[in-house]
Amino acid sequence: MTSGDWTRRQFIAAAAAGSLAAAVSKTVPAYGNLTKKASTLALLGGTPVRKNKSLPDWPYCDQKIVDSLEKTARSGSWCRIQGGAHAVVTLEKEWAKLTGAKFCVATGSGTQSLHTCVEALGIGPGDEVITSPYTDPGTIASILSARALPVMADLDTESFQLDPADVERRINENTKAIMPVHMMGQPCDIDSIMAIAQKHNLKVIEDAAQAHLAEHRGRKLGTIGDVGCFSFQSSKVLACGEGGAIIGNDEALMDKCYTVHNHGTSRQGLTETIGPKYRMNEFEAAVLLGQWPGVLERHARRNENAAYLTKRLKDIPCLVPQKLYEGTNAGSFYLYAMSYHKEHLNGIDRATFLKALNAEGVSLSPYIAKGLHREPWIENVLKTRVYQTMYSPARLRKYREESACPKCDQVCEQMAMIWASGPLLASHEVMVEIADAIEKVYVNRDQLKSA
Ligand SMILES: *Cc1c(COP(=O)(O)O)cnc(C)c1O
């Protein structure tokens, strides 16, 4: 370790004192001058920086997870409405406690959580929900499942998050809610989104599916809007294969979420409304509860490792870490996202850069190839009978015409990320190797002309 590295204590102290972004930028760079000597890139036959490419497995399995599953299996209580072990109810209490939310309803996936919230808020055919095109398909699926219209606003190219100005521009008399996505597990510009929602009297459903335990101005993501949704799908930082959760502080709304997710049947046993059956099963909750030990340590480690990478990347202009907004205290670091700027690497294209890095033993992902505004669902869905019935031809035409998101296209072209929950749990030494490999390719960029 170099003397400039952050200890965990320093990191937490800095994070507690203010914004993570500010704390990181105040750090004196330990690598202010790139001292790495010229050496042959591994792509051209040189020695790779990382000889051992292994990274922590994700998801992991240990005895605690196995014991928790076995306990549920033997209990015979395999469904939340049976008596007995109550893994789902315990999980809901634990997740509410960790996030500081008053209430939690567990579901079978992040998509199910989002759809439950859309239904619970009474959003349906004819209504519009503004969200991001740079996200998992589950985000818009939750809106389409209610036969509402997902209106995609464009991004900020430095944060990869929704641009609040473009969100506001797309509000009209049919808009009922904003579904901001906390992309890469970092807070979006939630201050601005909340201000816009308040001004236009809109509901806010936070898509925090990637953002477990991320924090903005002392509040965990998911607790800032009317409701917040999480995914526990295999790749996420808390994982059970498929699973999800809704959190919120409004008891009536959260009761409505329970009713909707329970095929329209309330906690009192009255079948009251339209609702799918989206209950989490006891085994999914058991896997998650088995993962509870160490969840905060893993969160802290990801943040420490990310802070180190961010510090090292300061001197490497071809890879710019995701911009964090004022007030960011911690991210989930489900993903460590960067944008690639070829103008700082002799105009070498991203694919070649990633190949050179891969040869050094560091694999970065370009992530989503294109935004959801470029997927075929737009044409297909707008042609369906329900959309043709519920929306006028003029509205659908306008929707199609305004679906361009050029900033999102740019983000897709520039993205280079460390994917996903496993790598950022690696040791500090691995982070040093990753940064060294990036630095090596940057310092020796002239060799790539001939590649
Ligand atoms: C994973 C994810 C979802 C969907 O969650 P599932 O559990 O896969 O249904 C929604 N939004 C974002 C941003 C996600 O990353």
Side-chain angles (χ1 to χ4, degrees), residues 200-251:
H200 297 272
N201 196 24
L202 302 174
K203 298 293 180 188
V204 174
I205 304 168
E206 292 180 71
D207 181 343
Q210 304 188 346
H212 314 69
L213 301 175
E215 203 177 293
H216 184 261
R217 298 196 197 286
R219 291 182 298 177
K220 293 278 189 288
L221 298 187
T223 64
I224 300 169
D226 294 275
V227 275
C229 295
F230 295 88
S231 167
F232 302 124
Q233 182 267 343
S234 285
S235 70
K236 312 288 161 103
V237 302
L238 261 171
C240 67
E242 303 283 4
I246 307 162
I247 57 173
N249 294 327
D250 177 338
E251 186 165 15

Side-chain angles (χ1 to χ4, degrees), residues 332-380:
S332 77
F333 289 103
Y334 163 60
L335 309 163
Y336 185 87
M338 298 160 277
S339 53
Y340 172 65
H341 297 264
K342 65 177 177 188
E343 65 275 21
H344 296 296
L345 210 90
N346 296 341
I348 301 290
D349 64 27
R350 179 179 61 176
T352 306
F353 172 70
L354 295 186
K355 226 161 62 186
L357 254 183
N358 198 47
E360 302 296 343
V362 172
S363 153
L364 296 186
S365 165
Y367 201 48
I368 299 166
K370 52 183 193 271
L372 291 170
H373 62 297
R374 289 190 172 274
E375 293 285 347
W377 66 268
I378 295 193
E379 283 312 311
N380 298 341

Side-chain angles (χ1 to χ4, degrees), residues 109-111 114 135-136 139 181 207 209-210 231 233 236 243:
S109 73
T111 306
L114 291 164
T135 181
D136 183 274
T139 306
V181 182
D207 181 343
Q210 304 188 346
S231 167
Q233 182 267 343
K236 312 288 161 103

Side-chain angles (χ1 to χ4, degrees), residues 12-56:
I12 290 169
S19 106
L20 175 58
V24 168
S25 69
K26 264 184 261 154
T27 313
V28 180
Y31 291 79
N33 43 347
L34 299 176
T35 52
K36 294 286 173 291
K37 283 199 279 315
S39 60
T40 309
L41 293 176
L43 186 66
L44 304 170
T47 311
V49 173
R50 292 202 76 209
K51 281 138 223 142
N52 173 3
K53 295 190 190 180
S54 74
L55 289 165

